[in-house]
Amino acid sequence: MSVARAGTPGATRLCPHCRETILESATVCPSCRHHLRYGAEPVAGEAQAAAVTPLRVEGSFRNSEGGAWEYSMVLTIRNERGEEIARRLVGVGAMQPDEVRAFTLSVEMTPAARGGHTRH
């Protein structure tokens, strides 16, 4: 897992609203979508970088079997060597017959501030 000091690309902090771990550079929390008071102004002379979404997957499933079924949604992130660097249980639940659940996974990326370095 990459460990980054404050002010470097990949540095994290807690969202003051939902307490999720988010990027230090975030101006809007990707979890609760609240605007963050600090860090909301771009650095003088630099425009706010536009986010790109290189991955977006949407899908749904229906419980067409008899009786209730339980589900667990797990997200795993791997590096270029296939090593697991993060694994999170995102949600759990149960579905009755003919109930539907829809899921969306998206990855947003923005350029890191210039001059920073990450530690691996």
Side-chain angles (χ1 to χ4, degrees), residues 10 17 39 60 68 88 90 106:
H17 303 104
S60 64
R88 300 290 183 273
V90 178
S106 63

Side-chain angles (χ1 to χ4, degrees), residues 9 26 58 86 97 103 106:
E58 296 184 30
F103 298 86
S106 63

Side-chain angles (χ1 to χ4, degrees), residues 8 22 67 101:
T8 62
I22 62 172
R101 296 292 184 272

Side-chain angles (χ1 to χ4, degrees), residues 1 3-5 7 20-21 26-27 29 31-33 37 42 47 58 66 69 82 86-87 95 98 107 110 116-117 120:
M1 181 187 306
V3 177
R5 294 185 309 259
E20 285 287 337
T21 300
T27 57
C29 174
S31 181
C32 69
R33 298 183 181 153
R37 191 174 312 159
E58 296 184 30
W69 282 72
R87 181 181 178 90
M95 296 173 58
D98 292 323
V107 176
T110 55
H117 300 283
H120 298 279

Side-chain angles (χ1 to χ4, degrees), residues 13-92:
R13 62 180 164 149
L14 292 180
C15 171
H17 303 104
C18 67
R19 308 305 290 166
E20 285 287 337
T21 300
I22 62 172
L23 287 170
E24 186 177 77
S25 60
T27 57
V28 175
C29 174
S31 181
C32 69
R33 298 183 181 153
H34 277 90
H35 287 267
L36 304 171
R37 191 174 312 159
Y38 43 87
E41 297 298 319
V43 176
E46 291 186 16
Q48 183 74 20
V52 295
T53 305
L55 175 67
R56 182 176 177 92
V57 180
E58 296 184 30
S60 64
F61 58 90
R62 174 183 304 276
N63 178 3
S64 57
E65 303 292 325
W69 282 72
E70 296 179 324
Y71 65 89
S72 300
M73 183 173 184
V74 179
L75 172 67
T76 304
I77 302 172
R78 297 181 186 278
N79 66 14
E80 65 279 357
R81 294 180 300 280
E83 300 164 339
E84 190 173 286
I85 57 175
R87 181 181 178 90
R88 300 290 183 273
L89 177 63
V90 178
V92 298

